[in-house]
């Protein structure tokens, strides 16, 4: 990979149009992220964190501005091309886990792989390995209703990484978990960042969660107000 940043956002504006009222959720946001960085996005409720993550993850388009992911301009892609980026390049982890209740853990993890054309046996093998990486090999045949919240989120992380994404987007991944399970999920994301070089962008309300990231982007009212290195966890206060 070249030295140019892996993810570049330039003058990003997102306006939600509505019949009666419009709302500008992102106003001229610019930043860049290097491959292998773990970045937290913080700011008050409604400041635009999820909106930004949706645009970075090819789930939504900017109104104006540029988004360059691994050398490709997302803002110029067709709907079909964006769907391929979502399927192959971006792993998503959501606050509410978003597992399918009628599928087992291993089937949930294998689903995006089979949807992308990988044969079922190979997809199941890779899904089993991903579950092993998140410490859930023994739960592979459990349904979501038979898993704890922390375990469900670890299955969701396995699903996100099993596609071998360029980028993992995590929107409040600990928002539905108690602090112990939340810490385990954050440690797991941090491990995947360090050992596999995964680039992670994580929205969070929590300063404790943001401390796991190397850098924090702070949003306020749709504007980027601060971008700085996160203090190491063991730094003196
Ligand atoms: N589809 C939409 N149509 C109109 N306005 C929207 C839409 N989606 C989000 N918004 C508005 O855009 C703003 C930013 O929303 P967003 O979900 O990005 O905030 P957030 O920072 O993720 O908040 P939270 O911390 O509560 O998750 C909010 O004021 C919200 O009401
Ligand atoms: Mg949000």
């Amino acid at each position: 990979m070249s030295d140019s940043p892996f993810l570049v956002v330039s003058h990003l504006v997102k306006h939600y149009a509505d019949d009666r009222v419009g709302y500008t959720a992102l106003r001229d946001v610019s930043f860049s992220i290097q491959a292998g960085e773990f970045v937290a996005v913080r700011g008050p409720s409604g400041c635009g964190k999820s909106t930004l993550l949706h645009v970075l993850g090819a789930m939504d388009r900017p109104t104006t501005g540029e988004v360059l992911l691994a050398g490709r301009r997302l803002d110029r892609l067709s709907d079909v091309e964006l769907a391929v980026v979502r399927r192959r390049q971006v792993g998503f982890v959501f606050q509410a886990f978003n597992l399918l209740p009628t599928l087992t853990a291993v089937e949930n993890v294998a689903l995006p792989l089979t949807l992308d054309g990988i044969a079922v046996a190979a997809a199941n093998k890779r899904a089993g390995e991903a579950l092993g990486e998140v410490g859930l090999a023994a739960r592979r045949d459990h349904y979501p209703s038979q898993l704890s919240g922390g375990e469900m989120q670890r299955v969701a992380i396995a699903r996100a990484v099993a596609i071998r994404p360029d980028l993992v987007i995590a929107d409040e991944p600990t928002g539905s978990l108690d602090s112990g399970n939340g810490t385990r999920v954050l440690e797991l994301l941090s491990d995947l960042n360090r050992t596999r070089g995964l680039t992670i962008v994580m929205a969070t309300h929590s300063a404790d969660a943001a401390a796991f990231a190397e850098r924090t982007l702070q949003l306020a009212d749709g504007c980027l107000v601060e971008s700085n290195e996160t203090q190491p966890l063991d730094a003196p206060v």
Side-chain angles (χ1 to χ4, degrees), residues 28-135:
D28 198 21
V29 172
S30 300
F31 61 87
S32 59
I33 289 176
Q34 302 292 336
E37 271 195 287
F38 184 178
V39 176
V41 179
R42 296 195 63 202
S45 183
C47 71
K49 302 182 294 298
S50 295
T51 302
L52 176 63
L53 264 48
H54 291 165
V55 174
L56 301 185
M59 285 201 283
D60 203 355
R61 293 173 180 284
T63 305
T64 57
E66 299 175 8
V67 181
L68 189 75
L69 174 65
R72 289 180 89 197
R73 283 278 300 271
L74 297 189
D75 52 286
R76 288 183 175 163
L77 300 185
S78 68
D79 287 350
V80 171
E81 289 168 326
L82 283 176
V84 175
V85 170
R86 286 197 296 276
R87 209 160 64 219
R88 301 213 171 129
Q89 288 184 270
V90 188
F92 294 96
V93 180
F94 300 96
Q95 176 172 349
F97 323 135
N98 294 17
L99 300 179
L100 291 177
T102 55
L103 299 183
T104 62
V106 75
E107 289 167 346
N108 265 286
V109 176
L111 184 64
L113 304 173
T114 50
L115 288 178
D116 198 35
I118 295 176
V120 172
N124 282 340
K125 181 166 180 288
R126 215 205 272 183
E129 288 163 3
L131 284 172
E133 268 195 81
V134 301

Side-chain angles (χ1 to χ4, degrees), residues 9-32:
V9 172
S10 306
H11 303 295
L12 181 65
V13 173
K14 179 67 187 178
H15 183 78
Y16 289 113
D18 182 284
D19 286 350
R20 288 158 295 129
V21 283
Y23 187 79
T24 304
L26 295 171
R27 303 158 191 269
D28 198 21
V29 172
S30 300
F31 61 87
S32 59

